[in-house]
Amino acid sequence: MIVFITGATAGFGAAMARIFATNGHRVLIAGRREDRLEALAGELGPNVRPVPLDVTSKAAIHAALDALPAPWRDIDVLINNAGLALGIKPAHEAALEDWETMIATNCSGLVTMTRAVLPRMVERGSGLVINLGSVAGHYPYPGGNVYGATKAFVEQFTLNLRADLVGTGVRATNIAPGLCGGTEFSNVRLKGDDAAAAKVYEGTTPLTAEDIAGTAYWIATLPPHVNVNSIELMPTCQGFSPFAIKRN
Ligand code: NDP
Ligand code: 8X3
C-alpha cells in the first residue's frame, strides 16, 4: 500500500509511519518540520518519502501532490492526522487567532487534502481516508470550545464522506482518541509550557501514539468489504464526569 500521513513529524503520525513502513508499505510523510521528516525517512529507509507541507496552504498541498513521482501517486490510504489544539481558556478569553489556526489546520487542511486525493481513489475503485477526530468532538469540556468543534466537524465530515462514497469501494474512518501521552499535543496546546504539559498526564497511564498507530494499521488492513465508520478509544483510567451545575 501507499500511505500518505499528514503530521508525521511527531506523535501519532510518526508512530503510524513506523508501523506501516516496518510492515512493508510505502509511506509519504508530511509536516512542516523538514529536518524531522528527513530524520524519520533516514531511520525507516527508501520506502518512506518526505513531503514537506503546511496543510493550511491550499497551494502547498496541490504543489506537493503534483510533484509526487508517478510511482507514488496512487495513494491507497490517506491519514489526515495533522492537527492541534491551542489554548485552554474559556471562549470569552481565548485568542481568536488560535481559533482561526485550529480551524485552518484541523478542518480546512483536512478537507483540502481529502478533496485533492479522493478523485483518484474513486477512479481506481479503492482507497481509505482515516481522519483524526477526538473525544473532544463527542463530549464538551471547559476550554475545549473551538478545538472540540473542529473535531466534531471531522467526525461529521467523515460520516458524510461515507454517505457519498457508498458503492465506490472507497472507505472512510474517524478515529477519536481520548487522553494520549508521549506526543507534543499538550506542549503545543500549552504553548511551550512543558512542565504544565507533563502535568496533564501525571498519575495516569494514557494511551500511547503506538496504540493509535496500531488502530490505524488494523483499520487499513481489514478486508476491503469492512468499513470502520468511527472508533473512540480512551485509556482505562479515563471516564466521565457528572454535569456541572452552578447552584445558588
Ligand atoms: P503532535 O503535536 O505530537 O503532532 C501533531 C502533528 O501535526 C505534527 O507532526 C505537526 O507537524 C503536524 N501539524 C500541525 N500543524 C500542521 C500544519 N499546519 N501543516 C502540517 N502539519 C501540521 O500531536 P498528536 O500526535 O498527539 O496529534 C495528532 C492528531 O491527533 C491531531 O489531529 C490531534 O488533534 C489528534 N488527537 C490527539 C490526541 C492526544 O491526546 N494526543 C487525542 C485525540 C486526538 P509540524 O509541526 O512539523 O508541521
Ligand atoms: C485530545 C483529547 O481530551 O485533550 O483531542 O481534547 S482532549
Side-chain angles (χ1 to χ4, degrees), residues 7 9 12 32-33 53-55 81 83 133 147 151 177 183-184:
T9 59
F12 299 173
R32 292 167 301 182
R33 286 169 290 179
L53 176 63
D54 182 338
V55 297
N81 164 75
Y147 177 67
K151 293 304 186 179
T183 79
E184 297 176 357

Side-chain angles (χ1 to χ4, degrees), residues 192-203:
D193 185 343
D194 294 342
K199 266 197 175 311
V200 173
Y201 309 100
E202 224 170 63

Side-chain angles (χ1 to χ4, degrees), residues 123-218:
E123 248 172 58
R124 290 163 47 230
S126 74
L128 167 65
V129 179
I130 296 179
N131 293 327
L132 263 294
S134 167
V135 293
H138 295 169
Y139 315 105
Y141 60 82
N145 44 67
V146 166
Y147 177 67
T150 65
K151 293 304 186 179
F153 175 97
V154 170
E155 165 118 49
Q156 195 60 20
F157 177 61
T158 311
L159 294 177
N160 278 321
L161 281 178
R162 288 279 298 123
D164 288 348
L165 293 171
V166 167
T168 66
V170 180
R171 299 179 287 170
T173 299
N174 179 58
I175 301 181
L179 186 76
C180 186
T183 79
E184 297 176 357
F185 177 82
S186 290
N187 310 79
V188 171
R189 182 171 216 171
L190 300 171
K191 304 183 178 181
D193 185 343
D194 294 342
K199 266 197 175 311
V200 173
Y201 309 100
E202 224 170 63
T204 74
T205 305
L207 296 172
T208 65
E210 288 69 31
D211 294 327
I212 306 308
T215 303
Y217 187 76
W218 167 69

